[in-house]
Amino acid sequence: MTTAIHPTPTRLRALRGLFIGFLAFTAFVLSAAFVLSAAFLLAQPVHAQGKPGELRIGIQKSSALHTLQRATGSLQKKLQPLGVTVKWVEFPAGPQLLEGLNVGAVDVGYVGEAPPIFAQAAGAQFVYIGNDPASPRAEAIVVRKDSPIQSVAELKGKKVALNKGSNVHYLLARLVEKAGLKLSDLQVVYLPPADARAAFESKNVDAWVIWDPFLAAAEKQIGARVLADGTGAVNNHQYYLAQRDYAAKNPQVIQALFAASVEDGEWLKAHLKQAAAQIAPLQGLPVEVVELALQRQAFNVKPITPAVAADQQRIADTFFELKLIPKAIQVSDAVLVEAKH
C-alpha cells in the first residue's frame, strides 16, 4: 500500500535540524529546477539547435565527475582541438534533464537507470551512447542506528520511504523479492530525498531507500545503518544519453567526451581525498560525505553492450509490471546503432 506523510511540528523541526550545507545543496537544486523548467517551457522550441561547435552537456549537481570537469575545464581542453566548446546546463534531477534533451536544450546528458525508461515510455527522443560501470553500493536501504530491524524480510508491514520512479524504486523491488516479499507487503511512502530524510529522522518512516550522496550524508551525519545495498541485486549503472542526430553526426566529439571522462575518472579515483576536497564546496556537502560517495562510484564510460542493454530492459519490464510506466518498451530501440556491436 502507499501512504502519505503530512507536515507535523516534529517533521518541521527535523527539517530545520538537517545539516545546513546539505539543505543549502537541496535548496539550490530545487531553485534551479524552477528556473530551468520555466526557461525550457517558455523559451525553448522543440528540437532547438545549439551554436555551431558547441557541446551542451546536461548534468546534475550530484554528478561528482562532471562537477570536477566543469570546475577544472579538463573536458574543454580535450575538445579544443576539435574546435568544440562546452556549455554546462544544470538540472535538478534526471527527469528534467531528459525533458531538456527531448526539447533540444542539450546535446548530451548523464543520468541514472530509471529516468531514461520513463522518458522512453513517454515518447522522448534520445539515444543511449554509453554507461559507467556498475556501482551497486551507491544505493541502499537504511534504517536508524537504533532500529530493531535487521533484515529486509523484517520490513513487512513497515513504512519505507523512497523517491517514486527512481533507481531505488527498482532496488527495493528486487530486494523485497529476494526476501520473499512483494512491494504490496510494505507501506511504501513516496517522498523526495529532503522530505524522506526528515520523515526518517522523526521516525515517521521505518526505513529509507536512497542513493549517494544523500546515502553518504545520512550515514555520516545521523548514523543511518545500511540494511542492504545493491550488491547482488542490481547493477546501478549511470548512463550517457544524447540526441540521436547529434550522436550520429559527431562521433569524434562523443569519443573525446568518453576519453576525457575516463582520464578524469582515473585521476579522481587515484586522488580521492584531493578530488573530494575540490568537489565538496561545489556540491555544498561536507568533504567526508563526498569522499564516502566517491568510494562507491565507478568512472570508466564505455559504449552500450548487449548485456548492459539487457539489464536496462529488465528494469523497464519490472516498471511495466508495477504499472509505473504506461506501456512496455524495448530499450534496444533507443541504443545508438554503432554501440550495439
Side-chain angles (χ1 to χ4, degrees):
M1 63 181 290
T2 301
T3 59
I5 294 227
H6 300 287
T8 65
T10 300
R11 184 170 173 233
L12 292 174
R13 283 196 298 273
L15 274 170
R16 286 194 293 269
L18 292 177
F19 189 79
I20 292 176
F22 187 82
L23 283 182
F25 166 63
T26 304
F28 180 93
V29 163
L30 290 176
S31 64
F34 177 82
V35 172
L36 285 167
S37 296
F40 292 144
L41 288 174
L42 299 176
Q44 291 288 347
V46 174
H47 306 305
Q49 298 296 317
K51 297 177 183 177
E54 180 181 70
L55 173 63
R56 300 165 301 163
I57 305 177
I59 61 169
Q60 300 173 56
K61 198 174 183 71
S62 59
S63 173
L65 180 62
H66 296 99
T67 298
L68 186 65
Q69 288 180 321
R70 186 179 186 180
T72 63
S74 60
L75 178 58
Q76 179 63 74
K77 293 173 187 174
K78 278 282 187 184
L79 292 174
Q80 193 169 11
L82 298 176
V84 175
T85 59
V86 177
K87 179 181 180 181
W88 300 95
V89 184
E90 193 170 298
F91 293 82
Q96 291 92 335
L97 193 157
L98 262 296
E99 177 60 22
L101 192 66
N102 190 45
V103 301
V106 293
D107 305 304
V108 173
Y110 182 78
V111 297
E113 295 165 327
I117 291 170
F118 285 88
Q120 188 178 352
Q125 296 302 306
F126 68 90
V127 62
Y128 292 86
I129 57 174
N131 66 276
D132 278 339
S135 300
R137 295 192 303 124
E139 57 180 4
I141 303 174
V142 295
V143 294
R144 286 177 293 277
K145 58 186 175 182
D146 59 350
S147 172
I149 298 172
Q150 298 296 325
S151 69
V152 175
E154 293 174 48
L155 292 176
K156 185 173 183 179
K158 304 296 185 183
K159 290 183 179 179
V160 181
L162 59 82
N163 194 77
K164 185 177 183 179
S166 64
N167 291 10
V168 294
H169 206 148
Y170 180 64
L171 172 66
L172 182 62
R174 286 301 310 275
L175 288 176
V176 298
E177 180 183 27
K178 287 183 67 175
L181 301 175
K182 298 186 228 178
L183 280 178
S184 56
D185 292 325
L186 284 56
Q187 298 184 60
V188 180
V189 182
Y190 294 137
L191 293 171
D195 289 343
R197 175 162 162 168
F200 181 77
E201 286 194 78
S202 59
K203 300 186 178 182
N204 283 321
V205 296
D206 302 291
W208 179 23
V209 200
I210 190 60
W211 62 90
D212 278 326
F214 302 102
L215 170 60
E219 290 178 87
K220 288 291 187 181
Q221 295 170 353
I222 58 176
R225 172 166 55 86
V226 172
L227 185 66
D229 61 25
T231 303
V234 300
N235 284 319
N236 191 31
H237 288 295
Q238 301 295 310
Y239 289 100
Y240 284 80
L241 312 175
Q243 291 184 16
R244 188 181 295 271
D245 288 346
Y246 186 90
K249 294 176 182 177
N250 298 277
Q252 288 183 308
V253 175
I254 300 303
Q255 290 170 9
L257 170 64
F258 280 20
S261 297
V262 170
E263 185 176 311
D264 293 337
E266 289 175 347
W267 181 89
L268 187 158
K269 296 300 276 189
H271 303 83
L272 203 68
K273 290 184 180 295
Q274 184 179 343
Q278 288 183 261
I279 295 167
L282 301 174
Q283 290 187 328
L285 291 168
V287 173
E288 62 270 20
V289 168
V290 175
E291 187 175 342
L292 177 58
L294 291 178
Q295 290 171 1
R296 296 189 283 228
Q297 295 173 2
F299 307 99
N300 189 19
V301 60
K302 301 284 186 184
I304 303 293
T305 64
V308 170
D311 187 63
Q312 188 74 339
Q313 184 65 53
R314 282 189 287 273
I315 300 175
D317 293 343
T318 298
F319 281 176
F320 179 63
E321 291 168 7
L322 294 173
K323 297 182 170 48
L324 292 173
I325 56 176
K327 64 180 182 180
I329 62 169
Q330 290 299 315
V331 170
S332 59
D333 292 342
V335 174
L336 185 65
V337 173
E338 291 82 356
K340 291 181 181 180
H341 305 291

